[in-house]
Amino acid sequence: MTLKIYGTAASRAARPLWVAQELGLVYEHIPLPYLGGATRTPEFLAINPNGRIPVVDDDGVLVWESMACTLYLAERFKPPGARSLAAQNDAGTPMLAARNHAELAEILRWSFWVVTECEKDALAILMHRVLMPAERRKPQLADEAERRLAGPLGVLEQHLQTRSYLAGERFTVADICVASVLTWAQSATQLMAQCPRTAQWLRTCLARPAFKAVRAMAQSA
């Protein structure tokens, strides 16, 4: 079995990499950047004709789109069939996938929700508050994104009033999908202060060793 994950950790590839780290999967990481033409070569376009990262190659099964990659890995390597270091060393392999239809419904709806309702504005906050050179930032765009994001975060805040995680009472791939987007909005401190349950849930997710390992990969790239 050969599992490959294409894409630098400083990109949306962080999402499937986080799952792989949580499950202790044995995989090859090909840290292709999203700039500079690396994803436009004939070799890469043969595995993703969109020319984008990430891509998961699971022994010839190709998956693209970051959330699809993330959900695929959680389902593909759920116990007891997970061929992972964790499974070899510990019978208590983490279960990130759904255990029942109710959990599946939560995982699917929150994973799609965060893309449609949050990702664009969270990215605008990240770019115009943190990543872009100061002279290129447009604070008004970040301000507008924060105002729009307040609505969806209010929905999440309400959901978290009676639970610690998004699906059931355990950490699942839904938490990875949503936290991997909302981490981009951490610099919106006033917005986060208005959603204390969401802010605490996000801190809990980002404190996990698997996420820290992916962040270290991104920082060393």
Side-chain angles (χ1 to χ4, degrees):
M1 194 275 290
T2 302
L3 177 65
K4 299 178 181 178
I5 302 177
Y6 292 82
T8 174
S11 74
R12 290 176 175 86
R15 298 164 186 175
L17 288 169
W18 187 350
V19 173
Q21 290 293 323
E22 289 283 353
L23 297 179
L25 300 180
V26 179
Y27 67 97
E28 180 184 356
H29 180 211
I30 300 94
L32 287 180
Y34 50 85
L35 298 175
T39 64
R40 295 292 171 178
T41 65
E43 293 78 13
F44 186 78
L45 291 172
I47 63 172
N48 184 358
N50 300 292
R52 298 185 184 278
I53 54 173
V55 175
V56 165
D57 182 349
D58 179 19
D59 204 21
V61 176
L62 297 174
V63 188
W64 17 271
E65 294 301 319
S66 62
M67 292 305 185
C69 294
T70 304
L71 294 168
Y72 173 83
L73 289 177
E75 179 66 23
R76 167 72 171 84
F77 292 101
K78 65 183 181 182
R83 285 176 285 184
S84 68
L85 292 176
Q88 295 168 16
N89 299 327
D90 182 0
T93 305
M95 177 66 167
L96 297 178
R99 294 179 301 192
N100 52 51
H101 288 109
E103 286 188 359
L104 177 60
E106 294 278 19
I107 288 170
L108 291 177
R109 74 174 183 172
W110 287 109
S111 300
F112 285 98
W113 170 86
V114 78
V115 172
T116 58
E117 300 290 341
C118 303
E119 186 171 47
K120 181 179 178 180
D121 289 323
L123 183 58
I125 293 168
L126 178 68
M127 296 302 294
H128 291 284
R129 294 256 191 261
V130 180
L131 288 188
M132 295 178 72
E135 66 275 11
R136 293 181 56 199
R137 295 178 190 174
K138 296 181 179 179
Q140 70 274 17
L141 294 183
D143 292 342
E144 292 167 4
E146 287 187 28
R147 285 193 289 270
R148 288 190 297 268
L149 195 55
L153 286 195
V155 173
L156 180 57
E157 182 74 6
Q158 182 63 35
H159 182 71
L160 290 170
Q161 292 301 312
T162 57
R163 66 200 75 209
S164 299
Y165 295 104
L166 298 186
E169 275 303 315
R170 63 191 180 89
F171 182 83
T172 69
V173 67
D175 299 287
I176 291 177
C177 289
V178 177
S180 67
V181 172
L182 294 187
T183 186
W184 295 349
Q186 278 187 296
S187 63
T189 53
Q190 184 175 354
L191 179 59
M192 288 297 171
Q194 295 169 2
C195 301
R197 295 282 297 185
T198 297
Q200 180 55 53
W201 162 83
L202 183 59
R203 286 192 294 269
T204 298
C205 292
L206 302 186
R208 295 179 68 86
F211 176 79
K212 290 182 177 180
V214 176
R215 174 165 284 177
M217 294 164 60
Q219 292 172 343
S220 64

